[in-house]
Coordinates of all heavy atoms in Angstrom, one line a residue:
T19 N 57.7 130.5 110.6 CA 57.2 131.3 109.5 C 58.0 132.5 109.3 O 58.3 133.2 110.3 CB 55.7 131.7 109.8 OG1 55.0 130.5 109.9 CG2 55.2 132.6 108.6
G20 N 58.5 132.8 108.1 CA 59.2 134.0 107.8 C 58.3 135.0 107.2 O 57.1 134.8 106.9
S21 N 58.9 136.2 106.9 CA 58.2 137.3 106.2 C 58.9 137.7 105.0 O 60.1 137.7 104.9 CB 58.0 138.5 107.1 OG 57.3 138.2 108.3
L22 N 58.2 138.0 103.9 CA 58.7 138.5 102.7 C 58.0 139.8 102.4 O 56.8 139.7 102.1 CB 58.5 137.4 101.6 CG 59.3 137.7 100.3 CD1 59.5 136.4 99.6 CD2 58.5 138.6 99.3
F23 N 58.7 140.9 102.5 CA 58.1 142.2 102.2 C 58.3 142.4 100.7 O 59.4 142.2 100.2 CB 58.8 143.3 103.0 CG 58.6 143.1 104.5 CD1 59.4 142.3 105.3 CD2 57.6 143.8 105.1 CE1 59.2 142.2 106.6 CE2 57.4 143.7 106.5 CZ 58.2 142.9 107.2
R24 N 57.3 142.9 100.1 CA 57.3 142.9 98.6 C 56.5 144.0 98.0 O 55.6 144.5 98.7 CB 56.9 141.6 98.0 CG 55.4 141.3 98.3 CD 55.0 139.9 98.1 NE 53.6 139.7 98.4 CZ 52.7 139.6 97.5 NH1 52.9 139.7 96.2 NH2 51.4 139.4 97.9
E25 N 56.7 144.3 96.8 CA 55.7 145.0 95.9 C 55.3 144.0 94.9 O 56.1 143.4 94.2 CB 56.4 146.2 95.3 CG 56.7 147.3 96.3 CD 57.4 148.5 95.7 OE1 57.6 148.5 94.5 OE2 57.7 149.4 96.4
A26 N 54.0 143.7 94.9 CA 53.4 142.5 94.2 C 53.8 142.3 92.8 O 54.0 141.2 92.3 CB 51.9 142.6 94.3
A27 N 54.0 143.4 92.0 CA 54.3 143.2 90.6 C 55.7 142.9 90.2 O 55.9 142.6 89.0 CB 53.8 144.5 89.9
L28 N 56.6 142.9 91.1 CA 58.0 142.7 90.7 C 58.4 141.2 90.4 O 58.0 140.3 91.2 CB 59.0 143.2 91.8 CG 58.9 144.7 92.0 CD1 59.8 145.2 93.1 CD2 59.3 145.5 90.7
T29 N 59.1 141.0 89.3 CA 59.5 139.6 88.9 C 60.3 138.9 90.0 O 60.1 137.8 90.3 CB 60.2 139.7 87.6 OG1 59.4 140.3 86.6 CG2 60.6 138.3 87.1
V30 N 61.3 139.7 90.6 CA 62.2 139.1 91.6 C 61.4 138.6 92.8 O 61.7 137.6 93.4 CB 63.3 140.0 91.9 CG1 62.9 141.2 92.7 CG2 64.4 139.2 92.7
T31 N 60.3 139.3 93.1 CA 59.5 139.0 94.2 C 58.8 137.7 93.9 O 58.7 136.8 94.8 CB 58.5 140.1 94.6 OG1 59.2 141.2 94.9 CG2 57.6 139.7 95.7
Q32 N 58.3 137.5 92.7 CA 57.6 136.3 92.3 C 58.5 135.1 92.4 O 58.2 134.0 92.8 CB 57.0 136.5 90.9 CG 56.1 135.3 90.5 CD 54.9 135.1 91.4 OE1 54.4 136.0 92.0 NE2 54.6 133.8 91.6
A33 N 59.8 135.3 91.9 CA 60.8 134.2 91.9 C 61.0 133.8 93.4 O 61.1 132.6 93.7 CB 62.1 134.7 91.3
A34 N 61.2 134.7 94.3 CA 61.4 134.4 95.7 C 60.2 133.6 96.3 O 60.3 132.6 97.0 CB 61.6 135.7 96.5
R35 N 59.0 134.1 95.9 CA 57.8 133.4 96.4 C 57.7 132.0 95.9 O 57.4 131.1 96.7 CB 56.6 134.2 95.9 CG 55.3 133.8 96.4 CD 54.2 134.7 95.9 NE 53.0 134.4 96.6 CZ 51.9 135.2 96.7 NH1 51.9 136.3 96.1 NH2 50.9 134.9 97.4
E36 N 58.0 131.8 94.6 CA 58.0 130.4 94.1 C 59.1 129.5 94.7 O 58.8 128.4 95.0 CB 58.2 130.5 92.6 CG 57.0 131.1 91.9 CD 57.2 131.4 90.4 OE1 58.3 131.0 89.9 OE2 56.3 131.9 89.8
A37 N 60.3 130.1 95.0 CA 61.3 129.3 95.6 C 60.9 128.8 97.0 O 61.2 127.7 97.4 CB 62.6 130.1 95.7
Y38 N 60.3 129.7 97.8 CA 59.9 129.3 99.1 C 58.8 128.3 99.1 O 58.8 127.3 99.8 CB 59.5 130.6 99.9 CG 60.6 131.2 100.6 CD1 61.5 132.1 99.9 CD2 60.9 131.0 101.9 CE1 62.6 132.7 100.5 CE2 62.0 131.6 102.6 CZ 62.8 132.4 101.9 OH 63.9 133.0 102.5
A39 N 57.9 128.4 98.1 CA 56.8 127.5 98.0 C 57.3 126.1 97.6 O 56.9 125.1 98.1 CB 55.8 128.0 96.9
K40 N 58.3 126.0 96.7 CA 58.9 124.8 96.3 C 59.5 124.0 97.5 O 59.5 122.8 97.5 CB 59.9 125.0 95.2 CG 59.4 125.1 93.8 CD 60.5 125.3 92.8 CE 59.9 125.5 91.4 NZ 61.0 125.7 90.5
K41 N 60.1 124.8 98.4 CA 60.7 124.2 99.6 C 59.7 123.9 100.7 O 60.0 123.3 101.7 CB 61.8 125.2 100.2 CG 63.0 125.3 99.3 CD 64.0 126.3 99.9 CE 65.2 126.4 99.1 NZ 66.2 127.3 99.8
G42 N 58.4 124.2 100.4 CA 57.4 124.0 101.4 C 57.5 124.8 102.6 O 56.9 124.5 103.7
L43 N 58.2 126.0 102.5 CA 58.3 126.9 103.7 C 57.1 127.8 103.8 O 56.7 128.3 102.8 CB 59.6 127.7 103.5 CG 60.9 126.8 103.5 CD1 62.1 127.7 103.2 CD2 61.1 126.1 104.8
R44 N 56.7 128.1 105.0 CA 55.6 129.0 105.2 C 56.2 130.4 105.3 O 57.1 130.7 106.0 CB 54.9 128.7 106.5 CG 54.2 127.4 106.5 CD 53.5 127.1 107.8 NE 52.8 128.3 108.2 CZ 52.1 128.5 109.3 NH1 51.8 127.4 110.0 NH2 51.5 129.6 109.6
V45 N 55.6 131.3 104.5 CA 56.0 132.7 104.4 C 54.8 133.6 104.4 O 53.9 133.3 103.8 CB 56.9 132.9 103.2 CG1 57.3 134.4 103.1 CG2 58.1 132.0 103.1
E46 N 54.9 134.6 105.2 CA 53.9 135.7 105.2 C 54.3 136.7 104.2 O 55.4 137.2 104.2 CB 53.8 136.4 106.6 CG 53.0 137.6 106.6 CD 53.2 138.5 107.8 OE1 54.2 138.3 108.6 OE2 52.3 139.3 108.1
Y47 N 53.5 136.9 103.2 CA 53.8 137.9 102.1 C 53.1 139.2 102.5 O 51.9 139.3 102.7 CB 53.2 137.3 100.8 CG 53.9 136.1 100.4 CD1 53.3 134.8 100.6 CD2 55.2 136.1 99.8 CE1 53.9 133.7 100.3 CE2 55.8 134.9 99.4 CZ 55.2 133.7 99.7 OH 55.8 132.5 99.3
V48 N 53.9 140.2 102.5 CA 53.5 141.5 102.9 C 53.7 142.5 101.8 O 54.8 142.8 101.4 CB 54.3 142.1 104.2 CG1 53.8 143.4 104.6 CG2 54.2 141.1 105.3
D49 N 52.6 143.0 101.2 CA 52.7 144.0 100.1 C 52.8 145.3 100.7 O 51.8 145.9 101.3 CB 51.4 143.9 99.2 CG 51.6 144.6 97.9 OD1 52.4 145.6 97.9 OD2 50.9 144.3 97.0
V50 N 53.9 145.9 100.7 CA 54.2 147.2 101.4 C 53.5 148.4 100.7 O 53.4 149.4 101.3 CB 55.7 147.5 101.6 CG1 56.3 146.4 102.5 CG2 56.4 147.6 100.3
I51 N 53.1 148.2 99.5 CA 52.3 149.3 98.8 C 51.0 149.5 99.5 O 50.5 150.6 99.6 CB 52.1 148.9 97.3 CG1 53.4 148.8 96.6 CG2 51.2 149.9 96.6 CD1 54.2 150.1 96.5
D52 N 50.4 148.4 100.0 CA 49.0 148.5 100.6 C 49.0 148.7 102.1 O 48.0 148.9 102.6 CB 48.3 147.2 100.3 CG 47.9 147.0 98.8 OD1 47.8 148.1 98.1 OD2 47.8 145.9 98.3
D53 N 50.2 148.6 102.7 CA 50.2 148.7 104.2 C 51.3 149.6 104.7 O 52.5 149.1 104.8 CB 50.3 147.2 104.7 CG 50.1 147.1 106.2 OD1 50.3 148.1 106.9 OD2 49.8 146.0 106.6
A54 N 51.0 150.8 105.0 CA 52.1 151.8 105.4 C 52.8 151.4 106.6 O 54.0 151.6 106.8 CB 51.4 153.2 105.5
A55 N 52.1 150.8 107.6 CA 52.7 150.4 108.8 C 53.8 149.3 108.6 O 54.8 149.3 109.1 CB 51.7 149.9 109.8
R56 N 53.4 148.3 107.7 CA 54.4 147.3 107.4 C 55.5 147.8 106.5 O 56.6 147.2 106.5 CB 53.7 146.1 106.7 CG 52.6 145.4 107.6 CD 53.1 144.9 108.9 NE 54.2 144.0 108.9 CZ 54.1 142.6 108.8 NH1 52.9 142.1 108.9 NH2 55.2 141.9 108.8
L57 N 55.3 148.8 105.7 CA 56.4 149.5 105.0 C 57.4 150.0 106.0 O 58.6 149.8 105.8 CB 55.9 150.6 104.1 CG 57.0 151.5 103.5 CD1 57.8 150.6 102.5 CD2 56.3 152.6 102.7
K58 N 57.0 150.6 107.1 CA 57.9 151.0 108.1 C 58.7 149.8 108.7 O 59.9 150.0 109.0 CB 57.1 151.7 109.3 CG 56.7 153.1 108.9 CD 56.0 153.8 110.0 CE 55.5 155.2 109.7 NZ 54.9 155.9 110.8
D59 N 58.0 148.7 108.9 CA 58.7 147.5 109.4 C 59.8 147.1 108.4 O 60.9 146.8 108.8 CB 57.7 146.3 109.5 CG 56.7 146.5 110.6 OD1 56.9 147.4 111.5 OD2 55.7 145.8 110.6
M60 N 59.4 147.0 107.1 CA 60.4 146.6 106.1 C 61.6 147.6 106.1 O 62.7 147.1 106.0 CB 59.7 146.7 104.7 CG 60.7 146.2 103.6 SD 60.2 146.7 102.0 CE 60.9 148.4 101.9
L61 N 61.3 148.9 106.2 CA 62.4 149.8 106.2 C 63.3 149.7 107.4 O 64.5 149.9 107.3 CB 61.9 151.3 106.1 CG 61.2 151.6 104.7 CD1 60.5 152.9 104.8 CD2 62.3 151.6 103.6
A62 N 62.8 149.3 108.5 CA 63.6 149.0 109.7 C 64.5 147.8 109.5 O 65.7 147.9 109.8 CB 62.7 148.8 110.9
Y63 N 64.0 146.8 108.8 CA 64.8 145.6 108.5 C 65.9 145.9 107.5 O 67.0 145.4 107.6 CB 64.0 144.5 108.0 CG 63.2 143.8 109.1 CD1 61.8 143.7 109.0 CD2 63.8 143.1 110.1 CE1 61.0 143.1 109.9 CE2 63.0 142.4 111.1 CZ 61.6 142.4 111.0 OH 60.9 141.8 111.9
S64 N 65.6 146.8 106.6 CA 66.5 147.1 105.5 C 67.4 148.3 105.7 O 68.0 148.8 104.8 CB 65.7 147.3 104.1 OG 64.9 148.4 104.2
K65 N 67.4 148.8 106.9 CA 68.2 150.0 107.3 C 67.8 151.2 106.4 O 68.7 151.9 105.9 CB 69.7 149.7 107.3 CG 70.1 148.6 108.2 CD 71.5 148.3 108.2 CE 71.8 147.2 109.2 NZ 73.1 146.7 109.1
Q66 N 66.5 151.4 106.2 CA 65.9 152.5 105.5 C 66.1 152.4 104.0 O 65.8 153.4 103.3 CB 66.3 153.8 106.1 CG 66.1 154.0 107.6 CD 64.6 153.8 107.9 OE1 63.7 154.3 107.3 NE2 64.3 152.9 108.9
E67 N 66.6 151.3 103.5 CA 66.7 151.2 102.0 C 65.5 150.6 101.5 O 65.0 149.6 102.0 CB 67.9 150.3 101.7 CG 69.3 150.8 102.0 CD 70.4 150.0 101.5 OE1 70.3 149.5 100.3 OE2 71.3 149.7 102.3
R68 N 65.0 151.2 100.4 CA 63.7 150.7 99.8 C 64.1 149.8 98.6 O 64.1 150.1 97.5 CB 62.9 151.8 99.3 CG 61.5 151.3 98.9 CD 60.5 152.4 98.9 NE 59.2 151.9 98.5 CZ 58.1 152.4 98.8 NH1 58.0 153.5 99.5 NH2 57.0 151.8 98.4
R69 N 64.6 148.6 99.0 CA 64.9 147.5 98.1 C 64.1 146.3 98.4 O 63.8 146.0 99.6 CB 66.4 147.2 98.2 CG 67.3 148.3 97.8 CD 68.8 148.0 98.0 NE 69.1 146.7 97.3 CZ 70.1 146.0 97.8 NH1 70.8 146.3 98.8 NH2 70.3 144.8 97.1
I70 N 63.6 145.6 97.4 CA 62.8 144.5 97.6 C 63.2 143.3 96.8 O 63.8 143.5 95.7 CB 61.3 144.8 97.3 CG1 61.1 146.1 96.6 CG2 60.4 144.6 98.4 CD1 59.7 146.5 96.6
P71 N 62.9 142.1 97.2 CA 62.2 141.8 98.4 C 63.1 141.8 99.6 O 64.3 141.7 99.5 CB 61.7 140.4 98.2 CG 62.7 139.7 97.3 CD 63.2 140.9 96.4
V72 N 62.6 142.1 100.8 CA 63.3 142.0 102.1 C 62.7 140.7 102.7 O 61.5 140.6 103.0 CB 63.0 143.2 103.0 CG1 63.6 143.0 104.4 CG2 63.6 144.4 102.3
I73 N 63.6 139.7 103.0 CA 63.1 138.4 103.5 C 63.7 138.3 104.9 O 64.9 138.5 105.2 CB 63.7 137.3 102.6 CG1 63.2 137.5 101.2 CG2 63.2 135.9 103.2 CD1 63.9 136.6 100.2
V74 N 62.8 138.0 105.9 CA 63.1 137.9 107.3 C 62.8 136.4 107.6 O 61.6 136.0 107.6 CB 62.4 138.9 108.2 CG1 62.8 138.7 109.6 CG2 62.6 140.3 107.7
D75 N 63.8 135.7 108.0 CA 63.6 134.2 108.3 C 64.3 133.9 109.6 O 65.6 134.0 109.6 CB 64.1 133.4 107.2 CG 63.7 131.9 107.3 OD1 62.8 131.6 108.2 OD2 64.4 131.1 106.7
K76 N 63.6 133.6 110.6 CA 64.2 133.3 111.9 C 65.2 134.4 112.4 O 66.3 134.1 112.9 CB 64.9 131.9 111.9 CG 63.9 130.8 111.6 CD 64.6 129.5 111.4 CE 63.6 128.5 111.0 NZ 64.2 127.4 110.3
G77 N 64.8 135.6 112.2 CA 65.6 136.7 112.6 C 66.7 137.1 111.6 O 67.4 138.2 111.8
Q78 N 67.0 136.4 110.6 CA 68.0 136.7 109.6 C 67.3 137.5 108.5 O 66.3 137.1 107.9 CB 68.6 135.4 109.0 CG 69.7 135.7 108.0 CD 70.4 134.5 107.5 OE1 70.3 133.4 108.1 NE2 71.1 134.6 106.4
V79 N 67.9 138.6 108.1 CA 67.4 139.5 107.1 C 68.2 139.4 105.8 O 69.4 139.4 105.9 CB 67.4 141.0 107.6 CG1 66.9 141.9 106.5 CG2 66.6 141.1 108.9
T80 N 67.5 139.1 104.7 CA 68.1 139.1 103.4 C 67.4 140.1 102.6 O 66.2 140.2 102.5 CB 67.9 137.7 102.8 OG1 68.5 136.7 103.6 CG2 68.6 137.6 101.4
I81 N 68.2 141.0 101.9 CA 67.7 142.0 101.0 C 68.0 141.6 99.6 O 69.2 141.4 99.2 CB 68.3 143.4 101.3 CG1 67.9 143.8 102.8 CG2 67.7 144.4 100.4 CD1 68.6 145.0 103.3
G82 N 67.0 141.5 98.8 CA 67.1 141.0 97.4 C 67.0 139.5 97.4 O 66.9 138.8 98.4
F83 N 66.9 139.0 96.1 CA 66.8 137.5 95.9 C 67.5 137.2 94.7 O 67.4 137.7 93.6 CB 65.3 137.2 95.8 CG 65.1 135.7 95.6 CD1 65.2 134.8 96.7 CD2 64.8 135.2 94.3 CE1 65.1 133.5 96.5 CE2 64.6 133.8 94.2 CZ 64.7 133.0 95.2
D84 N 68.4 136.2 94.8 CA 69.3 135.8 93.7 C 68.9 134.4 93.2 O 69.6 133.8 92.4 CB 70.8 135.8 94.0 CG 71.1 134.8 95.1 OD1 70.3 134.0 95.5 OD2 72.3 134.8 95.5
G85 N 67.8 133.8 93.7 CA 67.4 132.5 93.3 C 67.9 131.4 94.2 O 67.4 130.2 94.0
G86 N 68.8 131.7 95.1 CA 69.3 130.6 95.9 C 68.7 130.5 97.3 O 69.1 129.6 98.0
S87 N 67.8 131.3 97.7 CA 67.2 131.2 99.0 C 66.3 130.0 99.1 O 65.7 129.6 98.2 CB 66.4 132.4 99.4 OG 67.3 133.5 99.6

């Protein structure tokens, strides 16, 4: 199971969510607007950059989504 840190209303986040669902991959969706502790987690993965989505899959961190994940 991977994690996708997001702000719910963003189009790119929705695209990433749909791509993972199509592949049948299990992903924990974390809305960082609602959870300050998880926002800190996201910022640690993104080296303090507030860019979304931040996708963590098997220890590999991807910042942003271009439709190919």
Side-chain angles (χ1 to χ4, degrees):
T19 301
S21 297
L22 190 152
F23 294 88
R24 65 194 179 104
E25 290 180 1
L28 294 178
T29 303
V30 70
T31 298
Q32 186 61 32
R35 187 177 193 162
E36 290 171 2
Y38 274 81
K40 280 183 183 178
K41 292 181 178 183
L43 300 172
R44 292 181 43 175
V45 178
E46 171 194 14
Y47 298 98
V48 180
D49 191 337
V50 297
I51 295 297
D52 292 334
D53 191 334
R56 297 305 302 269
L57 173 59
K58 286 184 180 182
D59 293 341
M60 183 201 82
L61 291 171
Y63 286 119
S64 67
K65 298 180 182 173
Q66 304 305 311
E67 290 186 46
R68 191 161 180 157
R69 294 180 49 209
I70 9 195
V72 174
I73 303 166
V74 182
D75 186 19
K76 298 177 187 155
Q78 180 177 344
V79 178
T80 303
I81 300 172
F83 181 74
D84 65 5
S87 288

